[in-house]
Amino acid sequence: MALVLTLTDVSPETWCQDISSKPVMLGRDEAADIRFDHRSVSRQHCRIWIENDECFVEDCGSMNGTYVNANRVQKSPLSSGDRLLVGKFDLVVARDTEIRDTVDGVINDTVEIVDRNPEEEIRHLAAVVHDRLTPSRRIGIPGVFLEVVYAPSGLLGGDCFLCVEAGEQWVFCVFDAMYHGTKSALALSLLRTELERCVNLTSQPARCLDWLNTELLALGANDLYTSACIATWFPQTQLLYYSTAGLHPPVLLRKGEEIELAASAGGMPLGVSPTEEFEERLVQLKQHDRFFLFSDGVSESCHPSPELPLARQAARRLLAGHALPLNDHVHGFVEDARQRSRDDILLVGGEVTGSM
């Protein structure tokens, strides 16, 4: 059995590492066979080898753990098609012929142009662009493992998610354009760019929202209202610091129960008022806690009820899947929600893996 290990982002520059009976060490150490120079990776993170025609991966006591298909493992067999998460790096195991054929064919493949009417063309392009900007993916960062699932409606504007490294902290942000169309799509592009600029100066969620609100209003255009939730993660202390602008705050689950947070932490959506003030909340997390950030499409997938707001219903539904692996929890929820809502649906689930 000839297997290779490669990055999931296949491109002409993608490397391929053969897996053999000699163990291959992955880590941050300069002597590692596959070196990932990022602090989310331990010096000797994990090793991979083939034994008796079967492939194995074994964690070497890494701080952030080794994941196979979203499940944390100590030692696990690997098969072609398995996804391996090492720190922030998403890898795939494949038969050598499969991956080399894929890499060789990236440039040579001919893209088929499909004749669509203007409306279909816009929906197609919107879906493709949204998928590129916010792909459904797994993200491993110090102290937490993220599962991002996005089901775009196909309308310009939509939702997006950013995960930005800011020194010793990480900033998570969900944007939800309240209107669709070209203006909303351009506004979202601006907000993404401005957030990356802002976190170079501050990682405080409320100050980030102040910055973004000012920039959006400075455009001088109507109907650019955008809801947002910004959360800053402190790996060393396992603190989650968050603020919202028109979105529900994060839902936090611990040992099968929901921890009640403030009904809101922030203010009106971005682009509404130049004097809006955004509040902040700070919550201490523990190992195995889960938190969820989501757009309005998740709430709108619930049935209207005078007794319980839609966002609270969404929180109850998230609680129902607490016993599932995070991957199944998030994907299963979105698959059900997309049958109930025609809006963009974005759900980001995080599970605390341990302190640094």
Side-chain angles (χ1 to χ4, degrees):
M1 176 177 58
L3 293 177
V4 296
L5 187 68
T6 187
L7 291 171
T8 57
D9 180 19
V10 177
S11 70
E13 291 76 32
T14 296
W15 51 263
C16 297
Q17 173 70 49
D18 293 325
I19 305 173
S20 65
S21 59
K22 180 182 179 181
V24 173
M25 178 62 70
L26 287 73
R28 198 173 73 249
D29 195 284
E30 291 185 0
D33 299 297
I34 299 177
R35 184 169 184 255
F36 295 122
D37 189 15
H38 192 272
R39 60 195 180 92
S40 65
V41 180
S42 297
R43 294 188 180 279
Q44 294 185 341
H45 199 105
C46 64
R47 63 192 188 107
I48 299 176
W49 74 99
I50 289 179
E51 181 179 333
N52 296 327
D53 205 34
E54 188 171 10
C55 186
F56 293 93
V57 61
E58 183 175 35
D59 185 79
C60 297
S62 66
M63 180 64 69
N64 293 313
T66 299
Y67 291 80
V68 176
N69 299 328
N71 298 309
R72 189 168 184 167
V73 300
Q74 178 55 44
K75 181 179 179 181
S76 173
L78 292 173
S79 302
S80 177
D82 282 344
R83 299 279 289 275
L84 183 66
L85 192 70
V86 177
K88 64 173 286 187
F89 298 93
D90 196 6
L91 311 168
V92 65
V93 177
R95 297 187 182 279
D96 59 349
T97 53
E98 295 173 352
I99 193 63
R100 297 186 197 284
D101 288 346
T102 301
V103 173
D104 292 341
V106 169
I107 299 299
N108 297 327
D109 285 348
T110 300
V111 177
E112 181 182 359
I113 304 299
V114 179
D115 186 21
R116 300 180 175 90
N117 64 48
E119 183 177 348
E120 291 175 337
E121 185 84 313
I122 290 295
R123 293 182 67 87
H124 168 71
L125 291 174
V128 171
V129 169
H130 291 326
D131 181 64
R132 297 294 190 273
L133 293 176
T134 304
S136 294
R137 56 179 175 152
R138 305 179 184 108
I139 306 174
I141 63 176
V144 71
F145 177 79
L146 299 178
E147 191 76 33
V148 182
V149 181
Y150 183 30
S153 66
L155 298 176
L156 280 174
D159 305 340
C160 69
F161 171 73
L162 284 83
C163 176
V164 184
E165 187 173 2
E168 297 298 317
Q169 296 85 46
W170 293 76
V171 178
F172 313 140
C173 182
V174 169
F175 288 126
D176 184 351
M178 298 183 67
Y179 294 89
H180 292 91
T182 304
K183 289 196 300 183
S184 292
L186 292 174
L188 279 178
S189 297
L190 172 71
L191 292 175
R192 290 174 63 96
T193 302
E194 289 302 318
L195 180 65
E196 292 179 343
R197 289 180 56 200
C198 180
V199 297
N200 289 322
L201 302 176
T202 177
S203 61
Q204 289 183 251
R207 292 189 63 185
C208 289
L209 289 175
D210 283 334
W211 176 306
L212 298 174
N213 190 46
T214 299
E215 290 298 315
L216 200 58
L217 287 166
L219 295 177
N222 295 320
D223 302 338
L224 293 183
Y225 311 132
T226 303
S227 298
C229 176
I230 296 181
T232 301
W233 168 246
F234 295 82
Q236 299 286 350
T237 55
Q238 295 184 306
L239 291 172
L240 192 69
Y241 196 26
Y242 66 90
S243 183
T244 69
L247 280 183
H248 192 274
V251 169
L252 175 64
L253 305 183
R254 176 177 296 160
K255 294 183 178 179
E257 296 182 358
E258 182 186 359
I259 296 179
E260 292 290 341
L261 301 181
S264 65
M268 296 291 289
L270 303 175
V272 175
S273 170
T275 59
E276 188 65 36
E277 296 184 359
F278 302 100
E279 300 176 1
E280 292 177 321
R281 295 286 187 273
L282 186 66
V283 59
Q284 175 74 62
L285 300 183
K286 299 180 180 180
Q287 189 172 13
H288 304 307
D289 283 353
R290 289 183 182 178
F291 60 87
F292 298 89
L293 313 178
F294 52 90
S295 64
D296 281 340
V298 169
S299 302
E300 291 168 9
S301 69
C302 301
H303 297 294
S305 169
E307 300 177 356
L308 195 63
L310 293 178
R312 299 307 310 154
Q313 290 189 53
R316 297 284 177 87
R317 287 174 55 203
L318 284 166
L319 178 61
H322 75 275
L324 297 171
L326 182 64
N327 175 62
D328 296 337
H329 193 173
V330 176
H331 281 267
F333 186 99
V334 172
E335 185 62 33
D336 179 65
R338 69 189 307 174
Q339 306 301 321
R340 304 166 181 257
S341 174
R342 300 180 63 182
D343 195 6
D344 299 82
I345 296 174
L346 174 60
L347 177 62
V348 181
E351 181 166 329
V352 179
T353 58
S355 59
M356 296 293 291

